[in-house]
Amino acid sequence: MKMSSLLAPTLREVPAEAEVESHKLMLRAGLIRKVAAGIYNYLPLGLKVIRKVETIVREEMNRAGAQEVLMPNAVPAELWKESGRWDKYGDLLLKFKDRKEAEFCFGPTHEEVITFMVRSDVRSYRQLPINLYQIQTKFRDEIRPRFGLMRGREFIMKDAYSFHETEESLDAEYKNMRAAYCRIFERCGLDYRIVGADNGDMGGSGSEEFMVLAKSGEDEVLSCSCGYGSNVEAARALPVRCDDVPEAQQGIEETPTPGKKTIEEVSAFLKKLPKQAIKTLIYTADNTPVMVLMRGDHEVNEVKLKNVLKAATLALADDATVKKITGADVGFAGPVGMKDIRVVADESVQFIKNGYTGANRTDFHLVNVKYGRDFMAPELFDLRITRKGDMCPACGQKALESHRGIEVGHIFKLGTKYSDSMNAQFLDRESASRPFIMGCYGIGIGRTAAAAIEQSHDEYGIVWPLSLAPFMVLVTPATPNDPVQMEIAAKLYISLREQGIDALLDDRDERMGVKLKDADLIGFPYKIIAGKTAAQGMVEVKSRRGAIKENVEIAKAVDMIRQSIQEKKY
RNA sequence: CGGGGCAUAGCGCAGCCCGGUAGCGCGCUUGGUUUGGGACCAAGAUGUCGCAGGUUCAAAUCCUGCUGCCCCGACCA
């Protein structure tokens, strides 16, 4: 390929829309262009990178025994109604109608379709286990698409689904996929961590995320040197005692706190610590009010709460509901004397000493409250948001560290959520019908490419991992229109291609500076420059990461690069 | 959905307050001089000033509505 005919429109200036480095560089290097919010054209260089990621994913999935299929983008509503997600998935689902007014959605994920596929044609335990995957364009009408390919609305995803007779079989495949994912992200040259995660609306029993560590990551990852790692949303928290409050437990009293509503206001007014507060929140879970108790300095993790309550919807109750339940204005709710409402508390609440909480009477709080003495023992759960510095829930010894991560892969044990709701069954060896036990495994293809840039770039441009670079080598004459240099460059280009090394010839009539800036921006791992000394048989070989910067005999240049590629060092 | 902001040439921006011939830099085209890290000179081309109404002799500029986009939050594999 000649650079003069390649559509690689590099930009000197950064388009105003881009915020993070991968997005800026993908635009500047001419990899992608925006078509609409969260929707992109992939230009030749961008597509080449995407294909490289796809190839790695495909090779490793096939090696792991999965079979590739392809499902439709347009999915009939009836499948999504069967699973119950037509309504539950909400506005993320892009819905439309065909000419007969039949409803469809653009598939944002394909559990329904794959379940349909398998229930139609897999009947016997003899056909299990089976793992089917596709690499395909998804559409999710994200509330706020951003960061280029990192969070698009239309994006390319590899999604795999496995079907099993037993939990043991699912466990084995889950491990198999986990190992395949490790190979994939290693081959992509990424620094990643595997962390515990919440299943979200996917349902099921367990899941882990593959996080690429990068400052711009949208997720917070908590980790410990003992090996524990978790998305902050799912991180477990150990109950915290209150041993450092020296005072002796005293008797409960009501005290006026006029107009003091927030933890800060009340604790300052009563001269108590925020961690002595019993924060009382009223939530509405599936239309039923629930009282939630937290230590004053802790935050509710609504994902945990939702899971504990087994609620489909969860939101803080409105002021009127709070008033009706507590008989007081918002800000004065407390658990003492509460009846006829479900009360759940974070585990740390039981250790609060001389606590204070709302008196369920406007402008009054109760002080010196003790769990178990002054209010009914409610249900205790881990409900708080785990924070950096908290004790590791796994080893209990060390404080958790916090990092930012980009979620490039997610593996789930789904169980029978979809096979149950969609009535997908097989016959086991006793001729009994049983629902398939399912797993599902996703990788964001474009996001993986973006993560690679996020993790590896410099002030000049992209520094590709060898495995993802759109071209391996750029060959260029230093002086345009110098026939000797051009001829040598062209010969080198041809011999690189003959050796199976993907090279690009920069035949443009541009000054050296322009060509080199473009080369660094696009991020070719290697450059060969045929310059002044080319006529004497010498060319310059340079690598993007700086390991190689040498004048060598023309005949040796190709070998040098080939060897460097083999050693995977440049 | 809440808060904030933007919309003028391919890209980055000025002009808007105070209404009166639409500009700058980069890029693009042509010619010339250059040629090892984003050259220089000269001559050019390119705009429904996001859309629709309104006010006015006159609207990029003032008013109203709409749309698109960006940022923060909420939400989200």
PDB file of all heavy atoms in Angstrom, chain A residues 2-20:
ATOM      1  N   LYS A   2       0.447   2.182  -0.837  1.00  0.00           N
ATOM      2  CA  LYS A   2       1.162   3.452  -0.886  1.00  0.00           C
ATOM      3  C   LYS A   2       0.413   4.496  -0.063  1.00  0.00           C
ATOM      4  O   LYS A   2      -0.808   4.606  -0.160  1.00  0.00           O
ATOM      5  CB  LYS A   2       1.281   3.929  -2.329  1.00  0.00           C
ATOM      6  CG  LYS A   2       2.227   3.075  -3.142  1.00  0.00           C
ATOM      7  CD  LYS A   2       2.277   3.558  -4.568  1.00  0.00           C
ATOM      8  CE  LYS A   2       3.285   2.735  -5.357  1.00  0.00           C
ATOM      9  NZ  LYS A   2       3.289   3.123  -6.780  1.00  0.00           N
ATOM     10  N   MET A   3       1.182   5.256   0.665  1.00  0.00           N
ATOM     11  CA  MET A   3       0.580   6.265   1.517  1.00  0.00           C
ATOM     12  C   MET A   3      -0.196   7.299   0.698  1.00  0.00           C
ATOM     13  O   MET A   3      -1.204   7.827   1.171  1.00  0.00           O
ATOM     14  CB  MET A   3       1.678   6.974   2.318  1.00  0.00           C
ATOM     15  CG  MET A   3       1.151   7.859   3.407  1.00  0.00           C
ATOM     16  SD  MET A   3       1.172   7.034   5.001  1.00  0.00           S
ATOM     17  CE  MET A   3       0.600   8.338   6.069  1.00  0.00           C
ATOM     18  N   SER A   4       0.258   7.564  -0.523  1.00  0.00           N
ATOM     19  CA  SER A   4      -0.413   8.587  -1.335  1.00  0.00           C
ATOM     20  C   SER A   4      -1.846   8.210  -1.653  1.00  0.00           C
ATOM     21  O   SER A   4      -2.674   9.077  -1.927  1.00  0.00           O
ATOM     22  CB  SER A   4       0.363   8.828  -2.629  1.00  0.00           C
ATOM     23  OG  SER A   4       0.451   7.628  -3.360  1.00  0.00           O
ATOM     24  N   SER A   5      -2.142   6.907  -1.642  1.00  0.00           N
ATOM     25  CA  SER A   5      -3.508   6.537  -1.990  1.00  0.00           C
ATOM     26  C   SER A   5      -4.302   6.024  -0.787  1.00  0.00           C
ATOM     27  O   SER A   5      -5.453   5.640  -0.918  1.00  0.00           O
ATOM     28  CB  SER A   5      -3.503   5.493  -3.111  1.00  0.00           C
ATOM     29  OG  SER A   5      -2.638   4.442  -2.768  1.00  0.00           O
ATOM     30  N   LEU A   6      -3.670   6.010   0.395  1.00  0.00           N
ATOM     31  CA  LEU A   6      -4.365   5.531   1.592  1.00  0.00           C
ATOM     32  C   LEU A   6      -5.214   6.650   2.187  1.00  0.00           C
ATOM     33  O   LEU A   6      -4.736   7.775   2.347  1.00  0.00           O
ATOM     34  CB  LEU A   6      -3.331   5.073   2.630  1.00  0.00           C
ATOM     35  CG  LEU A   6      -3.873   4.564   3.972  1.00  0.00           C
ATOM     36  CD1 LEU A   6      -4.585   3.231   3.791  1.00  0.00           C
ATOM     37  CD2 LEU A   6      -2.742   4.432   4.978  1.00  0.00           C
ATOM     38  N   LEU A   7      -6.452   6.330   2.519  1.00  0.00           N
ATOM     39  CA  LEU A   7      -7.287   7.327   3.187  1.00  0.00           C
ATOM     40  C   LEU A   7      -6.933   7.327   4.673  1.00  0.00           C
ATOM     41  O   LEU A   7      -7.474   6.546   5.453  1.00  0.00           O
ATOM     42  CB  LEU A   7      -8.778   7.032   2.991  1.00  0.00           C
ATOM     43  CG  LEU A   7      -9.708   8.058   3.645  1.00  0.00           C
ATOM     44  CD1 LEU A   7      -9.552   9.437   3.013  1.00  0.00           C
ATOM     45  CD2 LEU A   7     -11.148   7.604   3.578  1.00  0.00           C
ATOM     46  N   ALA A   8      -5.955   8.179   5.002  1.00  0.00           N
ATOM     47  CA  ALA A   8      -5.523   8.301   6.396  1.00  0.00           C
ATOM     48  C   ALA A   8      -5.417   9.785   6.701  1.00  0.00           C
ATOM     49  O   ALA A   8      -4.333  10.359   6.767  1.00  0.00           O
ATOM     50  CB  ALA A   8      -4.179   7.606   6.601  1.00  0.00           C
ATOM     51  N   PRO A   9      -6.560  10.435   6.850  1.00  0.00           N
ATOM     52  CA  PRO A   9      -6.570  11.894   7.000  1.00  0.00           C
ATOM     53  C   PRO A   9      -6.130  12.316   8.405  1.00  0.00           C
ATOM     54  O   PRO A   9      -6.934  12.382   9.315  1.00  0.00           O
ATOM     55  CB  PRO A   9      -8.025  12.269   6.725  1.00  0.00           C
ATOM     56  CG  PRO A   9      -8.805  11.047   7.084  1.00  0.00           C
ATOM     57  CD  PRO A   9      -7.909   9.864   6.914  1.00  0.00           C
ATOM     58  N   THR A  10      -4.854  12.596   8.546  1.00  0.00           N
ATOM     59  CA  THR A  10      -4.342  13.004   9.852  1.00  0.00           C
ATOM     60  C   THR A  10      -4.664  14.470  10.103  1.00  0.00           C
ATOM     61  O   THR A  10      -4.756  15.265   9.174  1.00  0.00           O
ATOM     62  CB  THR A  10      -2.818  12.805   9.929  1.00  0.00           C
ATOM     63  OG1 THR A  10      -2.207  13.523   8.862  1.00  0.00           O
ATOM     64  CG2 THR A  10      -2.453  11.342   9.824  1.00  0.00           C
ATOM     65  N   LEU A  11      -4.861  14.788  11.355  1.00  0.00           N
ATOM     66  CA  LEU A  11      -5.204  16.153  11.724  1.00  0.00           C
ATOM     67  C   LEU A  11      -4.099  16.737  12.592  1.00  0.00           C
ATOM     68  O   LEU A  11      -3.595  16.093  13.497  1.00  0.00           O
ATOM     69  CB  LEU A  11      -6.507  16.187  12.535  1.00  0.00           C
ATOM     70  CG  LEU A  11      -7.752  15.632  11.860  1.00  0.00           C
ATOM     71  CD1 LEU A  11      -8.911  15.616  12.838  1.00  0.00           C
ATOM     72  CD2 LEU A  11      -8.110  16.474  10.637  1.00  0.00           C
ATOM     73  N   ARG A  12      -3.773  17.968  12.301  1.00  0.00           N
ATOM     74  CA  ARG A  12      -2.765  18.620  13.122  1.00  0.00           C
ATOM     75  C   ARG A  12      -3.387  19.082  14.437  1.00  0.00           C
ATOM     76  O   ARG A  12      -2.778  19.035  15.483  1.00  0.00           O
ATOM     77  CB  ARG A  12      -2.210  19.822  12.358  1.00  0.00           C
ATOM     78  CG  ARG A  12      -0.955  20.349  12.961  1.00  0.00           C
ATOM     79  CD  ARG A  12      -0.420  21.500  12.159  1.00  0.00           C
ATOM     80  NE  ARG A  12       0.139  21.051  10.893  1.00  0.00           N
ATOM     81  CZ  ARG A  12       1.057  21.770  10.236  1.00  0.00           C
ATOM     82  NH1 ARG A  12       1.489  22.908  10.715  1.00  0.00           N
ATOM     83  NH2 ARG A  12       1.506  21.341   9.093  1.00  0.00           N
ATOM     84  N   GLU A  13      -4.628  19.509  14.344  1.00  0.00           N
ATOM     85  CA  GLU A  13      -5.295  20.004  15.555  1.00  0.00           C
ATOM     86  C   GLU A  13      -6.286  18.980  16.088  1.00  0.00           C
ATOM     87  O   GLU A  13      -6.799  18.161  15.343  1.00  0.00           O
ATOM     88  CB  GLU A  13      -5.994  21.327  15.257  1.00  0.00           C
ATOM     89  CG  GLU A  13      -4.985  22.430  15.037  1.00  0.00           C
ATOM     90  CD  GLU A  13      -5.620  23.740  14.619  1.00  0.00           C
ATOM     91  OE1 GLU A  13      -5.971  23.887  13.449  1.00  0.00           O
ATOM     92  OE2 GLU A  13      -5.740  24.605  15.479  1.00  0.00           O
ATOM     93  N   VAL A  14      -6.564  19.076  17.373  1.00  0.00           N
ATOM     94  CA  VAL A  14      -7.463  18.127  18.015  1.00  0.00           C
ATOM     95  C   VAL A  14      -8.899  18.607  17.853  1.00  0.00           C
ATOM     96  O   VAL A  14      -9.227  19.711  18.261  1.00  0.00           O
ATOM     97  CB  VAL A  14      -7.162  18.027  19.525  1.00  0.00           C
ATOM     98  CG1 VAL A  14      -7.995  16.923  20.154  1.00  0.00           C
ATOM     99  CG2 VAL A  14      -5.692  17.781  19.756  1.00  0.00           C
ATOM    100  N   PRO A  15      -9.763  17.795  17.287  1.00  0.00           N
ATOM    101  CA  PRO A  15     -11.170  18.187  17.212  1.00  0.00           C
ATOM    102  C   PRO A  15     -11.723  18.451  18.613  1.00  0.00           C
ATOM    103  O   PRO A  15     -11.363  17.753  19.563  1.00  0.00           O
ATOM    104  CB  PRO A  15     -11.840  16.975  16.574  1.00  0.00           C
ATOM    105  CG  PRO A  15     -10.755  16.292  15.819  1.00  0.00           C
ATOM    106  CD  PRO A  15      -9.503  16.537  16.622  1.00  0.00           C
ATOM    107  N   ALA A  16     -12.590  19.462  18.715  1.00  0.00           N
ATOM    108  CA  ALA A  16     -13.074  19.908  20.019  1.00  0.00           C
ATOM    109  C   ALA A  16     -13.848  18.832  20.765  1.00  0.00           C
ATOM    110  O   ALA A  16     -13.950  18.881  21.981  1.00  0.00           O
ATOM    111  CB  ALA A  16     -13.938  21.147  19.838  1.00  0.00           C
ATOM    112  N   GLU A  17     -14.397  17.871  20.049  1.00  0.00           N
ATOM    113  CA  GLU A  17     -15.271  16.887  20.691  1.00  0.00           C
ATOM    114  C   GLU A  17     -14.524  15.881  21.565  1.00  0.00           C
ATOM    115  O   GLU A  17     -15.128  15.221  22.395  1.00  0.00           O
ATOM    116  CB  GLU A  17     -16.047  16.127  19.613  1.00  0.00           C
ATOM    117  CG  GLU A  17     -15.156  15.165  18.821  1.00  0.00           C
ATOM    118  CD  GLU A  17     -15.743  14.752  17.476  1.00  0.00           C
ATOM    119  OE1 GLU A  17     -16.163  15.633  16.722  1.00  0.00           O
ATOM    120  OE2 GLU A  17     -15.763  13.544  17.202  1.00  0.00           O
ATOM    121  N   ALA A  18     -13.211  15.748  21.358  1.00  0.00           N
ATOM    122  CA  ALA A  18     -12.497  14.653  22.034  1.00  0.00           C
ATOM    123  C   ALA A  18     -11.976  15.065  23.393  1.00  0.00           C
ATOM    124  O   ALA A  18     -11.449  16.158  23.572  1.00  0.00           O
ATOM    125  CB  ALA A  18     -11.355  14.167  21.159  1.00  0.00           C
ATOM    126  N   GLU A  19     -12.118  14.151  24.331  1.00  0.00           N
ATOM    127  CA  GLU A  19     -11.766  14.415  25.720  1.00  0.00           C
ATOM    128  C   GLU A  19     -10.580  13.571  26.165  1.00  0.00           C
ATOM    129  O   GLU A  19      -9.638  14.082  26.750  1.00  0.00           O
ATOM    130  CB  GLU A  19     -12.989  14.106  26.583  1.00  0.00           C
ATOM    131  CG  GLU A  19     -12.836  14.424  28.037  1.00  0.00           C
ATOM    132  CD  GLU A  19     -12.906  15.912  28.297  1.00  0.00           C
ATOM    133  OE1 GLU A  19     -13.166  16.686  27.349  1.00  0.00           O
ATOM    134  OE2 GLU A  19     -12.676  16.303  29.448  1.00  0.00           O
ATOM    135  N   VAL A  20     -10.612  12.280  25.882  1.00  0.00           N
ATOM    136  CA  VAL A  20      -9.535  11.398  26.343  1.00  0.00           C
ATOM    137  C   VAL A  20      -8.546  11.127  25.213  1.00  0.00           C
ATOM    138  O   VAL A  20      -8.852  11.296  24.036  1.00  0.00           O
ATOM    139  CB  VAL A  20     -10.090  10.063  26.889  1.00  0.00           C
ATOM    140  CG1 VAL A  20     -10.983  10.309  28.091  1.00  0.00           C
ATOM    141  CG2 VAL A  20     -10.829   9.298  25.810  1.00  0.00           C
TER     142      VAL A  20
END
